[in-house]
Amino acid sequence: MKTLGVSKVVTALVLAGLVLLPLYSQLSGNIFILTLFTRIVILALAAASLNLIMGYGGMMSFGHAAYLGIGGYAVGILAQEGVGSGFVQFPVALAASATYALVIGALSLRTRGVYFIMITLAFAQMAYYVASGLARYGGDDGLTVYKRSDFSGLVNLSSRVQFYYLCLACLFGVIFLIWRIVNSRFGLVVQGLRSNEQRMQAIGFPAKRYQLVCFVIAGTMCGLAGALLANNTDFVSPAVMYWTRSGDLMVMVILGGMGTLFGPVMGAVVYLLLEEFLSQITEYWALIMGPLLLLIVLFGRGGIMGLLGRAGRG
Amino acid sequence: MLLVVEQFLNGLQFGLLLFLLAAGLTLVFGIMDLVNLAHGSLYMMGAYFAATFVAWTGNFLLGALLALGATLVLGIVLEVVALRHLYGRDHLDHVLATFGLILFFNEAVRLIWGPAGLALPLPPWLTVPVPILPGVYYPAYRLAIIVVALLVALLLYLGVMRTRIGMLIRAGASNREMIGALGINIKLLYTLVFGLGAALAGLAGLMQAPILTVQIGMGENILILAFVIIVIGGIGSIRGAFLAAIFVGMIDTLGRAFLPNLLRQILSSTAASTAAPALSSMLIYLLMAIVLVVRPEGLFPASRR
């Protein structure tokens, strides 16, 4: 058990840090850090959902940001049309993402490998262009969400601390769900399909059906992140669906450690903090971030979780 | 009728330009099995180099040639410094590493050339309209792009199919260990292929530069188009890339030109004018989705796979 020590301790520290962050923000009067971490937690949720299909299911979706947009637009459009209740907005956001994932997944899963990466990308780009064409809802310029989702007294999304904890609860809930899925019979079949699809099919599992269900679950989770993100920025635009955003999510997953439960959280925290930190040193932060990613790929196999695991063994 | 001919040529020109980009990508992707998202950055660098060198030398052709050389060198340096360590790794590692390169190149350009775009003016002799049919004129520069791209396509085809180097490249694609065992310097071969791919991307970039503004991130949109093309055409197939590029260029251009009117025939004019821009941008992605659903390996899969 000693070998796993370091990564477990670090993970626990990061999670504890996330839970205690509002306290620090209150004591130090640093409001900005809470805003920053709300965003980090939401994107960590999106990355965790991507990790479910990419890390455990072996499905390299390059269009995952589409769900951020769909969840966000569900909230934005409903708010625009006068439906402010979160009890309506959030279920609609989830249902819309699930439906999109069902259709996209059913078509995309006919292909594999690089073709799968590309077809998921193509569908996300289509969603991007559809959103750009929604003249009634801002088109290219995006849609301002003037009023955050109303959960009538249960939680107040306008309160920074309450909203942060709502996001964190969603993140923990999703990770718990992923843990249950991955360790269930269903999850084991999906992971089996990742390592050898033909064998699993020969045993008699309907491979595509299992993968599709997994794909839809991940898409729905990411739709939740999208609904939260729209509330966080009070704004949703086609840009959240652009392919480089999907790239960002992939980077977070790979950086943190694919196929590990907390890897995506670590990846999101490190990637976004690094972005923030570097952008404070220099305007040209990406000049450092880019080569850094390259170095991480070349020398840091298995991402942060892999590194921590090796540190524990070494 | 005049408009149809003109848009048809525009589509052909755009398709050929896309082919230059897609050919480089499919060489790298099909042969070295490297998913290079930074290919679009090389396209962008080609355009920036051209704008700079043309301004320096005051001569369009000379500047373009220098830019082509610069992109070739940049590609070779990139391969030697970074990308050669990625062969044989997981596709996801390629995605992450080359995504990092995109960030780097965009930022480097912002640092060197500033955030505002550049313009690459054409010399007078390339701006004159040329009569192609009685009474039909077409810009000389666009015609020049068509000619250059067709020439490059022909050279590339002959080079890959008829020369010894091309034979080695094709052999390397099907079995890299075997060709290494035969005493061929596979490392050098790969570096050269990557350099060639970079130069093709640079050529596409510098030829497109006078038509569009030279700006940061210009490679990203068009990179996705290039990927769409090689996926539709079948990965690793130059012929597939050529046909798919022409097809995609035509569909995209003709869609943008004629879809609004076409939609107006069946929809109310307000509905048509809202739907048309989104639908015409989506057309090629729609096409790719349909192709992949019907033929998951692409239209002209390379026979070796």
Side-chain angles (χ1 to χ4, degrees), chain A residues 10 12 28 52 85 110 114 119 139 143 159 196 209 213 283 308:
Chain A
V10 174
S28 65
L52 173 63
S85 168
R110 296 172 54 94
V114 179
I119 195 169
L143 176 63
S159 150
N196 195 332
R209 211 176 306 161
V213 172
E283 187 191 338
L308 291 176

Side-chain angles (χ1 to χ4, degrees), chain A residues 153-212:
Chain A
L154 200 62
V155 271
N156 178 9
L157 268 52
S158 303
S159 150
R160 282 174 202 277
V161 176
Q162 286 192 32
F163 183 50
Y164 176 80
Y165 276 120
L166 173 70
C167 295
L168 198 62
C170 288
L171 174 64
F172 286 167
V174 158
I175 289 182
F176 175 71
L177 203 60
I178 291 175
W179 177 68
R180 290 296 300 265
I181 292 171
V182 168
N183 290 299
S184 68
R185 179 178 172 280
F186 167 79
L188 292 174
V189 172
V190 169
Q191 290 171 77
L193 286 168
R194 179 191 57 187
S195 30
N196 195 332
E197 189 170 328
Q198 275 169 337
R199 183 178 297 173
M200 294 301 285
Q201 234 157 0
I203 303 172
F205 289 107
K208 295 299 171 210
R209 211 176 306 161
Y210 274 87
Q211 286 176 329
L212 184 59

Side-chain angles (χ1 to χ4, degrees), chain B residues 43-303:
Chain B
Y43 165 87
M44 173 178 74
M45 294 309 288
Y48 270 95
F49 283 144
T52 311
F53 286 131
V54 169
W56 273 1
T57 57
N59 182 320
F60 184 79
L61 280 185
L62 189 63
L65 274 177
L66 283 174
L68 197 59
T71 327
L72 176 78
V73 172
L74 180 69
I76 288 176
V77 170
L78 196 61
E79 200 269 352
V80 171
V81 172
L83 297 175
R84 77 161 35 160
H85 309 289
L86 290 170
Y87 301 145
R89 299 279 283 268
D90 197 64
H91 279 153
L92 268 185
D93 283 354
H94 302 167
V95 168
L96 181 55
T98 53
F99 191 77
L101 287 176
I102 294 182
L103 291 181
F104 174 78
F105 276 114
N106 281 345
E107 214 60 36
V109 165
R110 202 191 312 275
L111 187 67
I112 299 170
W113 282 281
L118 299 178
L120 176 51
L122 278 174
W125 57 273
L126 275 175
T127 50
V128 288
V130 176
I132 41 171
L133 287 173
V136 182
Y137 289 86
Y138 196 68
Y141 184 65
R142 283 179 185 263
L143 273 185
I145 293 184
I146 293 178
V147 173
V148 170
L150 278 176
L151 219 64
V152 171
L154 184 70
L155 282 177
L156 199 64
Y157 177 79
L158 291 178
V160 171
M161 290 318 217
R162 295 276 185 271
T163 65
R164 187 174 152 74
I165 293 264
M167 184 190 76
L168 292 177
I169 290 175
R170 279 178 294 136
S174 25
N175 193 333
R176 68 182 83 182
E177 283 82 23
M178 180 60 77
I179 181 137
L182 288 173
I184 308 299
N185 188 344
I186 191 90
K187 261 189 161 171
L188 182 66
L189 187 68
Y190 272 29
T191 306
L192 289 178
V193 172
F194 191 87
L196 176 63
L200 286 172
L203 179 63
L206 73 89
M207 289 203 306
Q208 186 73 323
I211 298 178
L212 301 171
T213 346
V214 181
Q215 58 188 359
I216 296 161
M218 65 187 282
E220 279 144 38
N221 254 326
I222 204 155
L223 168 76
I224 296 302
L225 284 184
F227 268 113
V228 165
I229 284 163
I230 62 175
V231 163
I232 290 179
I235 291 167
S237 157
I238 300 244
R239 192 174 59 111
F242 184 76
L243 294 173
I246 304 281
F247 198 41
V248 165
M250 288 285 179
I251 291 214
D252 193 60
T253 308
L254 297 182
R256 275 171 215 281
F258 300 114
L259 205 61
N261 277 325
L262 219 62
L263 281 184
R264 230 162 264 141
Q265 311 279 317
I266 34 176
L267 294 172
S268 72
S269 69
T270 43
S273 56
T274 33
L279 194 59
S280 50
S281 314
M282 278 170 61
L283 265 185
I284 51 158
Y285 296 102
L286 213 57
L287 174 76
M288 165 163 142
I290 293 168
V291 167
L292 283 185
V293 166
V294 179
R295 296 194 57 158
E297 291 282 287
L299 289 180
F300 311 96
S303 51

Side-chain angles (χ1 to χ4, degrees), chain A residues 70-115:
Chain A
I70 290 169
Y73 269 100
V75 169
I77 290 175
L78 283 175
Q80 175 103 335
E81 300 295 339
V83 184
S85 168
F87 296 113
V88 179
Q89 289 179 348
F90 274 64
V92 169
L94 297 186
S97 318
T99 313
Y100 175 78
L102 185 68
V103 176
I104 300 313
L107 295 172
S108 307
L109 281 167
R110 296 172 54 94
T111 63
R112 59 191 66 231
V114 179
Y115 292 98

